[in-house]
Amino acid sequence: MLHLGYTSNPRALLEQHAAAVRAGWHDLSAARVAYPPLLTGPLAVLPAGWRPAAQSIVGALAAGTLLSVYLARLVVAQLPITLIVLLCAALLCNTSLWYLGTQDLSGITSLLFLTLALGGFLRFAAFAETEGGFQAGLFLAVAFGCGSIALAYALSLVIGAPLLAVRRFRAEPAAILATALVLGFPIAAAALGWTFTVWRLAGHPFAWLSNSGNGTPFHVRSGSSVALRDAAASVLHAPLYLLVAACILTGAIGTGHRLFVRAMITLGFFVPIIVLFLGDWLGFIYSPMTSFLLLTLLPAATIPARPSRPLCLLLGTAAVLQPIIAIVWPVAGAATVDNWIRAIF
Amino acid sequence: METLPYSPPDQDVLAVLPPSDALARAHAEAVRLRVPLAEQLAAEGAVGQEELDRLLAGHWEVPYITLRESTADPVLVNAQPAARLWREGWIPLWRSADGGAVRVGFVGRPDQERVQQVAQVVGAPVEAAVVSQDAFREALLRCHREELVELAVSGLALRAPLQSAQRVLTRAQQLLAAGLVVLIVLGFLADWRSALATVFAVVNVAFLFSVGFKFLVCMRGAEREREEPISAADLDALDEGSLPGFTVLVPVYREAGIVGQLLLNLGELDWPRAKLEVLVLLEEDDSETVAAARAAQPPAWMKLVVVPQCEPRTKPKACNVGLFFARGDYLVIYDAEDQPDPDQLKKAHLAFTRADGDTVCVQAALNYWNAEENALTRMFTLEYSFWFDYMLPGLDDLRLPIPLGGTSNHFRTDALRRLGGWDPFNVTEDADLGVRAAAEGWRVSVVGSTTYEEANRAYGNWIRQRSRWVKGYLQTLLVHLRAPVRLTRTIGLGQTLAFVLLIGGTPAGFLAAPPLLLLFVCSLLVPTNRLIEVLPAWLLAVSMIDLVIGNTAMIYVGMMGAFRRRRYRLVPWALLTPLYWLLHCAAAYKALWQLITRPHYWEKTTHGLSTVSHPGQGPDLVPGPQPAVGLDRG
């Protein structure tokens, strides 16, 4: 029998903040707990009894949308049906997506907007298509309204862009700063704007960081070795990610580039790992389930259209391995998920 | 060109000119282009207009008359409407000594049918003579000066008084404005806190709507980036013989130093010269520029038209005079310092052929060749890039009213005449015309071509120019909201709202920015718990969020506009947009003051101030994705 009503820490925190905003809106003191505003704001408007259901519904919608965007990307790349099924299974046959979708609204919505941003990012970085830049920049800013992990996403894209399109940027070095601004300005403005607003209204500019339950900012929480271990573990749990990186480096993906170019692109591909490591080390943000999903979504955005048969075989094999590894060697944070599963069943 | 019914037949021209290779080539070209040989020869400069007319007159056995100042009898000339004379190509000169016949100068061959028709009109026998077209035009300007001035100045006001900015406010608008002021004053007297909160709330909402609207329109415009509606292959496939005539109007005032550059810039235009007519519109009292223009010895396809001196002394008045004489099926305005893309006229033609029949105008993009001269030119370039590369395409895509730019607007000439030409009392006659076109059910679209201009580099000059633009927007708003119900019924609620947000929202935003800025400064200096005693908490929160969102949005579209033009070094300058807006605020308040005190005064912008050597053109719009480098999917 299913036992409904399990409430994770992120869910509870969001509901607490929504209640505090509703209670304190008249004197603006609630601004210090109003982060993330795109989630807390609407929840605060709802009666208390409706909030759990609202979180569940929105979380489910976000997870479903994320999955459909992922699937659409695979279909547009004209991958064989079997490979599409295996890649979807790699995403679905892991409790991370289910847990985030039901228990961490901030995590799933920020990830969704990152996924939407990625589509524009690739067109922008590789083809200098400004509409793609608009899309990437704006979705990253919206993602910030859902969770501070968006800052890490944005940093990854800003650093990664000149590496991923190294040939274009070598020819036009002035484009590097311009690209960084287009990608990063909206989220930077959102973060600074929110910091300023909270400072003026509630007197605590960075309260939104600590009150979001992400730990004390700029405080080395876990130590570099621990953060490094966690980052490495995240990568090893994502054989798809490793495979795609190897294919880029060897030229199996993106043929015709010199070794230097391939190395730069591979480095760009690994930037999210570096950023997640730094984030964890600084105590800024860390969610093992989020990083696992991130490392599953990123390869899908990079797989070329109509890949060769050998590449399809390799990708399929990695897609099968991924859930197997997760079962044999649980993702960090599995204890939280286990509690959730036990509570439900 | 509109082939004049009186163009001399080719066989007559061939009969009077000695055979030569040049003549044969000109004849072949005329056949290819499907233009009269006389016009082809004139365009090539192979034979002077007067020289050819003299020879033809001899061939037709009629005298040739050189029109001079005192040649034509004004009484006789004024007895006929100027439009008829220009259209039919004849001018009554004087009565014969016995007072019976009338000597009439004809442009082109005075065949029997023409002579009989004119005789019926003048009511007397006609003694035909031949006159040259340029002299004919100058004689009309002299003799029909009053009529042409009346047409240029009051034509729109007489035809459609409600559409003219000659009157700033109608009685109803005056009452409404007075009522609003009284309401606000009473509100403050009754409960100043509530009144202040209401005013700030309204300002915030209006500001957010205006910025949000522009941002969404830009996003829509960005979606068109991947289109290249007119390709090089399309241009190559054009049959020049099927091209219609094109008139280019170039109003020039106190710009003697730019005339030489003007000739160079327009000389680059890719359009058959026999089908191109450039009318340089000079002001009668601007003797220096008139002398410089004459000294430059323009080619035969470029005519100097001296506009009679009269008030208001504005560019649209001069353009209305030019419109009267325009013979092209299409018409475009360029400023003296403009550098249009050489293929712009052909692109405009293709845009028209593909557009709906109700498209009256296509607007090309404007940008600057001295973009990086100083901070002001950089900010100006950012602004224009976002406006013309995103905003106008977005408005076009959404089929919303498009306020035209000052130049590079290509019209169907007949439709422009039906619209009534430009409003000489509106100091942004271009924006007004775009809105008027929409109000009368016409469409304005955009064409993917760029004209490069000189960006204003001097702050005082910039303020003067911008205050005129803001004043013009206010005039346009007031004119077209005189009958809001009728406007809504004609163009629909969506278009009406878009017009209000764009034309009204722009100056309103600049006027509203200082109070919002003041609130922001207060929020920095005064503790929030004290501010809440004056303004409600929710209003404070909304104002701050509004400030962040509004500034972020406008900075971002500025970045995108520069990026699209591949002007990467300009992108970081977009961060200074809020400071640039302060200049707009200063200009807006000056505009508001002038709207009250000198509504029709045209603040002339001084050109030729750039210290950058006149380069080739700037970066083009990139038509779609570049070949992938690095990471690619294919």
Side-chain angles (χ1 to χ4, degrees):
Chain A
M1 179 159 178
L2 289 177
H3 293 277
L4 303 177
Y6 173 83
T7 302
S8 64
N9 286 341
R11 273 187 82 118
L13 200 62
L14 208 50
E15 290 190 26
Q16 277 174 32
H17 287 176
V21 166
R22 193 179 175 99
W25 70 271
H26 57 277
D27 64 359
L28 302 173
S29 59
R32 57 194 290 273
V33 292
Y35 189 82
L38 290 183
L39 303 179
T40 311
L43 281 176
V45 171
L46 294 172
W50 291 17
R51 288 177 196 145
Q55 283 207 55
S56 299
I57 291 168
V58 174
L61 284 172
T65 307
L66 190 149
L67 188 59
S68 72
V69 170
Y70 179 77
L71 181 61
R73 205 157 278 157
L74 301 178
V75 169
V76 164
Q78 298 176 49
L79 303 185
I81 297 289
T82 314
L83 182 57
I84 291 177
V85 169
L86 289 174
L87 289 170
C88 286
L91 189 66
L92 290 166
C93 293
N94 187 291
T95 49
S96 295
L97 181 66
W98 305 102
Y99 179 79
L100 283 185
T102 57
Q103 300 299 323
D104 188 352
L105 190 57
S106 173
I108 194 67
T109 48
S110 344
L111 208 53
L112 168 63
F113 289 118
L114 168 69
T115 307
L116 294 170
L118 271 178
F121 167 75
L122 287 172
R123 297 197 318 267
F124 180 57
F127 304 111
E129 187 190 289
T130 44
E131 192 213 345
F134 253 134
Q135 184 180 332
L138 291 174
F139 275 128
L140 285 172
V142 174
F144 175 77
C146 299
S148 59
I149 193 173
L151 293 170
Y153 298 156
L155 195 60
S156 304
L157 297 188
V158 166
I159 297 172
L163 297 169
L164 293 170
V166 59
R167 272 167 57 184
R168 184 168 78 78
F169 285 104
R170 280 177 81 184
E172 300 170 313
I176 295 176
L177 176 59
T179 300
L181 281 170
V182 167
L183 289 172
F185 172 74
I187 191 171
L192 288 171
W194 185 256
T195 303
F196 171 78
T197 303
V198 173
W199 170 51
R200 294 312 301 148
L201 299 181
H204 301 274
F206 295 105
W208 57 277
L209 276 171
S210 55
N211 283 332
S212 65
N214 286 333
T216 311
F218 313 124
H219 171 78
V220 178
R221 184 182 64 177
S222 51
S224 64
S225 56
V226 173
L228 195 60
R229 183 200 66 200
D230 290 343
S234 295
V235 173
L236 293 173
H237 274 103
L240 260 175
Y241 187 79
L242 283 171
L243 173 67
V244 169
C247 288
I248 293 171
L249 186 62
T250 56
I253 289 177
T255 54
H257 302 312
R258 294 183 296 124
L259 177 60
F260 171 76
V261 172
R262 298 200 306 265
M264 289 296 107
I265 297 171
T266 310
L267 183 60
F269 195 64
F270 274 114
V271 163
I273 303 296
I274 300 169
V275 171
L276 287 175
F277 155 69
L278 286 172
D280 185 19
W281 183 26
L282 294 173
F284 214 85
I285 31 93
Y286 190 80
S287 168
M289 283 73 78
T290 302
S291 65
F292 173 78
L293 282 178
L294 180 68
L295 300 184
T296 307
L297 292 168
L298 281 176
T302 323
I303 297 172
R306 297 181 301 280
S308 63
R309 190 173 165 75
L311 183 57
C312 287
L313 282 171
L314 283 172
L315 289 169
T317 307
V320 168
L321 271 177
Q322 193 148 304
I324 294 173
I325 292 173
I327 293 169
V328 169
W329 176 25
V331 174
T336 306
V337 176
D338 286 345
N339 290 341
W340 166 59
I341 293 173
R342 252 186 248 113
I344 289 175
F345 294 104
Chain B
M1 302 306 300
E2 174 196 346
T3 302
L4 298 166
Y6 39 85
S7 282
D10 288 2
Q11 61 262 30
D12 289 356
V13 176
L14 289 168
V16 301
L17 292 176
S20 68
D21 290 343
L23 181 62
R25 279 196 300 273
H27 191 207
E29 186 69 355
V31 169
R32 183 182 77 85
L33 293 175
R34 294 176 225 151
V35 296
L37 176 58
E39 303 212 5
Q40 180 60 30
L41 287 169
E44 289 180 8
V47 57
Q49 187 187 89
E50 205 174 291
E51 181 190 346
L52 182 60
D53 286 335
R54 282 182 191 278
L55 290 170
L56 285 168
H59 182 69
W60 297 324
E61 296 176 351
V62 292
Y64 174 82
I65 292 177
T66 305
L67 289 175
R68 291 280 181 264
E69 295 256 347
S70 57
T71 302
D73 179 353
V75 173
L76 268 180
V77 179
N78 284 325
Q80 307 301 328
R84 168 180 228 155
L85 297 179
W86 177 247
R87 186 177 62 247
E88 296 177 2
W90 59 274
I91 181 169
L93 298 173
W94 55 78
R95 288 197 178 273
S96 59
D98 60 5
V102 173
R103 174 68 72 182
V104 173
F106 287 86
V107 179
R109 187 168 74 177
D111 56 38
Q112 197 175 7
E113 189 184 340
R114 281 182 85 188
V115 172
Q116 281 175 353
Q117 280 173 352
V118 171
Q120 280 183 338
V121 171
V122 302
V126 163
E127 293 172 352
V130 171
V131 295
S132 291
Q133 189 180 73
D134 289 350
F136 169 52
R137 183 176 51 245
E138 288 167 16
L140 271 187
L141 266 169
R142 277 196 310 276
C143 300
H144 271 284
R145 181 194 177 93
E146 312 280 328
E147 182 186 342
L148 289 173
V149 163
E150 172 83 356
L151 207 61
V153 171
S154 306
L156 180 67
L158 290 171
R159 170 182 168 270
L162 280 183
Q163 291 183 340
S164 169
Q166 188 173 22
R167 191 174 178 190
V168 178
L169 290 172
T170 60
R171 178 56 61 93
Q173 286 174 325
Q174 288 172 3
L175 289 172
L176 188 63
L180 207 59
V181 169
V182 166
L183 195 66
I184 292 173
V185 169
L186 286 177
F188 271 93
L189 288 174
D191 180 351
W192 69 272
R193 281 196 179 84
S194 298
L196 189 65
T198 306
V199 167
F200 268 109
V202 168
V203 165
N204 266 297
V205 169
F207 185 78
L208 196 59
F209 265 91
S210 176
V211 170
F213 168 72
K214 284 183 182 167
F215 191 77
L216 290 174
V217 172
C218 283
M219 296 287 291
R220 191 62 180 255
E223 289 175 18
R224 288 178 58 158
E225 182 184 356
R226 282 171 278 184
E227 296 173 15
E228 193 190 355
I230 298 173
S231 65
D234 291 334
L235 293 172
D236 290 339
L238 269 179
D239 169 23
E240 289 193 331
S242 67
L243 293 178
F246 222 125
T247 297
V248 177
L249 299 184
V250 187
V252 179
Y253 184 57
R254 297 208 194 288
E255 285 168 311
I258 298 184
V259 170
Q261 190 61 45
L262 162 69
L263 297 184
L264 278 174
N265 294 342
L266 296 184
E268 300 285 320
L269 288 172
D270 181 14
W271 194 263
R273 288 296 178 262
K275 298 186 176 187
L276 181 65
E277 169 189 62
V278 175
L279 302 181
V280 180
L281 307 172
L282 303 158
E283 293 286 336
E284 196 174 45
D285 64 334
D286 184 13
S287 51
E288 192 184 353
T289 308
V290 172
R294 290 196 170 128
Q297 295 184 319
W301 44 271
M302 196 178 283
K303 315 290 184 190
L304 305 180
V305 177
V306 180
V307 175
Q309 181 183 351
C310 63
E311 294 297 328
R313 194 202 308 281
T314 60
K315 174 180 162 184
K317 181 211 70 187
C319 290
N320 282 337
V321 174
L323 177 61
F324 177 86
F325 289 111
R327 291 170 43 209
D329 299 278
Y330 299 136
L331 181 147
V332 63
I333 312 278
Y334 288 125
D335 283 345
E337 76 281 9
D338 283 357
Q339 280 185 325
D341 278 345
D343 56 9
Q344 188 170 110
L345 302 190
K346 286 185 173 177
K347 282 187 172 176
H349 165 68
L350 279 171
F352 274 120
T353 57
R354 295 173 184 180
D356 301 332
D358 59 354
T359 300
V360 65
C361 177
V362 293
Q363 170 74 58
L366 303 181
N367 214 282
Y368 295 116
W369 49 263
N370 62 330
E372 297 192 50
E373 185 167 354
N374 63 13
L376 188 59
T377 62
R378 288 183 174 92
M379 300 310 296
F380 210 166
T381 305
L382 284 169
E383 185 185 2
Y384 257 38
S385 298
F386 122 74
W387 184 259
F388 284 98
D389 297 342
Y390 283 127
M391 195 68 193
L392 294 199
L395 290 170
D396 184 31
D397 212 52
L398 293 166
R399 300 181 78 90
L400 296 176
I402 292 180
L404 298 174
T407 84
S408 311
N409 8 85
H410 302 257
F411 295 93
R412 294 188 206 268
T413 311
D414 61 342
L416 177 59
R417 289 191 172 114
R418 273 185 273 165
L419 272 175
W422 295 271
D423 182 357
F425 296 97
N426 191 315
V427 295
T428 51
E429 76 292 347
D430 38 10
D432 167 71
L433 187 54
V435 175
R436 187 168 0 119
E440 296 201 11
W442 293 93
R443 272 214 72 210
V444 173
S445 186
V446 295
V447 62
S449 175
T450 302
T451 296
Y452 288 92
E453 301 187 302
E454 177 193 343
N456 217 326
R457 68 178 298 276
Y459 288 86
N461 204 27
W462 186 95
I463 295 269
R464 280 193 292 278
Q465 183 183 53
R466 192 52 55 109
S467 67
R468 175 172 64 80
W469 292 359
V470 175
K471 185 171 71 175
Y473 264 43
L474 290 170
Q475 285 179 308
T476 304
L477 181 75
L478 290 171
V479 163
H480 292 287
L481 281 185
R482 284 173 179 167
V485 173
R486 191 178 70 192
L487 180 69
T488 308
R489 280 207 198 112
T490 307
I491 65 175
L493 183 61
Q495 291 216 20
T496 304
L497 287 175
F499 155 69
V500 171
L501 281 171
L502 197 57
I503 302 298
T506 300
F510 296 140
L511 292 170
L516 291 177
L517 203 57
L518 183 65
L519 181 61
F520 169 68
V521 171
C522 288
S523 75
L524 291 176
L525 302 173
V526 178
T528 308
N529 55 358
R530 297 296 303 275
L531 272 179
I532 293 174
E533 294 171 13
V534 178
L535 290 172
W538 64 268
L539 183 57
L540 275 178
V542 164
S543 296
M544 285 193 196
I545 293 169
D546 205 359
L547 187 76
V548 172
I549 292 176
N551 279 282
T552 302
M554 296 321 293
I555 290 172
Y556 200 45
V557 293
M559 286 182 177
M560 302 306 293
F563 198 98
R564 186 166 178 201
R565 286 263 169 189
R566 303 296 183 255
R567 284 187 147 137
Y568 299 124
R569 287 193 299 266
L570 289 187
V571 171
W573 286 83
L575 295 169
L576 297 181
T577 299
L579 292 178
Y580 184 55
W581 269 13
L582 292 178
L583 288 178
H584 283 81
C585 296
Y589 279 95
K590 182 181 176 190
L592 187 62
W593 176 247
Q594 274 200 4
L595 185 69
I596 299 166
T597 57
R598 305 169 81 183
H600 308 126
Y601 174 61
W602 184 288
E603 289 249 39
K604 175 83 177 79
T605 307
T606 306
H607 295 293
L609 298 178
S610 176
T611 57
V612 171
S613 60
H614 216 266
Q617 293 175 338
D620 285 327
L621 272 174
V622 179
Q626 300 297 299
V629 290
L631 200 64
D632 71 75
R633 296 187 67 97

